[in-house]
Amino acid sequence: KIAAMIGAHLHRAFGKRFRPTLLLLATRGFGAVSDESVLGAVVVELIHTATLIHDDSVDKSLVRRGLPTVNSAWNNDVAILMGDYLYSKAFSILVKNRMYEAMDLLAEATHRMSQGELRQIEQKNRLDLTEAEYMRVIEEKTACLISAGCEFGAFSGGADPEARQAMFRYGRAVGLAFQITDDIFDYLGSENVMGKAMGSDLEGGKITLPLITALRNASDPARREMRAMIQNREFRNGHWGDVVRFVTENGGVEVSEERSSALAREAEAELDHVKDDVARTALTDAVRYAVTRRR
């Protein structure tokens, strides 16, 4: 009964369905969408949702997509078990339908996502975090599931090995661009649009590219002042505007947008392999959406 209640709650707080959409478009790019493709899309969304539930529980987040998180509406124990239930359901679908290729790709992606989450916990509140360390985490936490989904979509559409790898690279680049854009929103977004409080990443100890870049570019006095403000948690007491100003004035937003746009161009370059014109156009639009969306 409680699983059904949580399922109904999650349905009300549904997201963009970006990952399953990319998988199905990748399939369409090389052939007909089959039952196997649709099941693969379902599994990808189940894995993604399970990850969000676990992340919210670890981060003690109260709101996602404008509604209470599972851990705040119920409790952490329920959230962890619900995430486990969705993971097990996802792989049960793969086993039951003998989807061995999807099993291989998505098991590896799920393993890497867990590594990324652990790495992010290790790096919590690290103001000396490098851009390379940040990129590794977002590749594991976000890009690897998107790239696995795109590769499986191409496989189920009948793509050859070269095209499969192109779609894997497309998904990786889109995933990285998507996450960098998300991290910019934490500094520039609007709470009523984003469905979560601004500054929640920094509040949770997540040091992302806009802040990494601004700390690198700032003068020594400005850097020391900002580091002290963050370490003393002063940004929670009326100083969030100062953090946003620091990140913006020291190139954090501009450089992050440039990185995201460069990754978008990389993704688009991989679409030459896609045979179907309609799918190729939609996949190109998806790249642009990933970097120009407002939520």
Side-chain angles (χ1 to χ4, degrees):
K1 184 178 179 181
I2 192 167
M5 291 170 62
I6 297 172
H9 176 76
L10 293 170
H11 184 68
R12 287 196 297 276
F14 69 89
K16 306 171 187 67
R17 306 285 196 262
F18 189 60
R19 291 154 184 80
T21 299
L22 290 181
L23 188 156
L24 294 172
L25 286 172
T27 303
R28 172 73 189 275
F30 300 96
V33 173
S34 62
D35 290 346
E36 183 182 64
S37 312
V38 173
L39 287 172
V42 169
V43 166
V44 164
E45 188 66 9
L46 285 172
I47 291 171
H48 174 56
T49 303
T51 303
L52 296 183
I53 293 172
H54 280 172
D55 284 358
D56 287 339
S57 184
V58 169
D59 298 339
K60 299 178 177 60
S61 301
L62 300 179
V63 177
R64 180 176 289 276
R65 298 167 180 163
L67 290 175
T69 56
V70 175
N71 52 288
S72 64
W74 283 269
N75 57 56
N76 261 13
D77 293 346
V78 169
I80 290 166
L81 290 169
M82 187 64 189
D84 291 347
Y85 171 81
L86 294 179
Y87 275 127
S88 62
K89 183 62 179 176
F91 283 95
S92 175
I93 290 170
L94 296 179
V95 172
K96 182 178 178 181
N97 292 279
R98 297 180 173 83
M99 295 169 61
Y100 300 120
E101 191 68 27
M103 214 180 301
D104 186 35
L105 291 168
L106 295 172
E108 175 61 21
T110 305
H111 173 65
R112 293 193 65 204
M113 290 163 77
S114 300
Q115 287 181 311
E117 183 62 35
L118 288 168
R119 204 180 308 280
Q120 189 170 71
I121 291 170
E122 288 174 359
Q123 296 172 353
K124 193 172 181 180
N125 293 315
R126 258 193 56 199
L127 292 172
D128 62 343
L129 197 70
T130 67
E131 183 175 329
E133 288 173 314
Y134 162 82
M135 293 298 290
R136 182 173 182 179
V137 166
I138 69 169
E139 175 158 10
E140 290 172 336
K141 286 201 63 182
T142 302
C144 71
L145 182 60
I146 295 177
S147 58
C150 287
E151 182 178 355
F152 176 71
F155 163 79
S156 70
D160 61 37
E162 185 181 356
R164 275 184 61 173
Q165 282 306 301
M167 290 310 299
F168 173 89
R169 293 190 297 270
Y170 166 87
R172 176 185 179 276
V174 170
L176 293 172
F178 188 94
Q179 187 59 55
I180 291 170
T181 300
D182 230 37
D183 292 341
I184 295 169
F185 287 153
D186 200 54
Y187 292 93
L188 294 187
S190 165
E191 184 169 343
N192 63 338
V193 173
M194 291 302 294
K196 66 175 185 177
M198 295 303 98
S200 58
D201 283 350
L202 191 56
E203 174 72 25
K206 295 176 184 174
I207 311 302
T208 58
L209 187 59
L211 182 59
I212 291 168
T213 303
L215 286 169
R216 186 177 65 219
N217 291 346
S219 65
D220 286 343
R223 184 188 304 112
R224 283 195 297 271
E225 183 180 347
M226 182 51 55
R227 287 173 68 99
M229 181 184 293
I230 293 170
Q231 287 166 341
N232 297 332
R233 317 301 281 174
E234 291 174 27
F235 63 88
R236 297 187 301 185
N237 303 314
H239 289 282
W240 178 242
D242 295 332
V243 178
V244 172
R245 195 174 307 111
F246 173 84
V247 167
T248 304
E249 290 178 354
N250 288 287
V253 172
E254 182 182 0
V255 169
S256 297
E257 287 176 340
E258 287 171 0
R259 292 278 190 283
S260 185
S261 296
L263 286 159
R265 290 191 294 273
E266 284 182 30
E268 285 190 43
E270 299 293 350
L271 294 177
D272 290 344
H273 292 81
V274 178
K275 299 174 183 177
D276 183 87
D277 290 341
V278 173
R280 186 167 58 251
T281 299
L283 287 163
T284 302
D285 289 343
V287 175
R288 292 169 187 167
Y289 165 76
V291 297
T292 61
R293 63 200 164 93
R294 298 270 65 91
R295 61 180 296 169

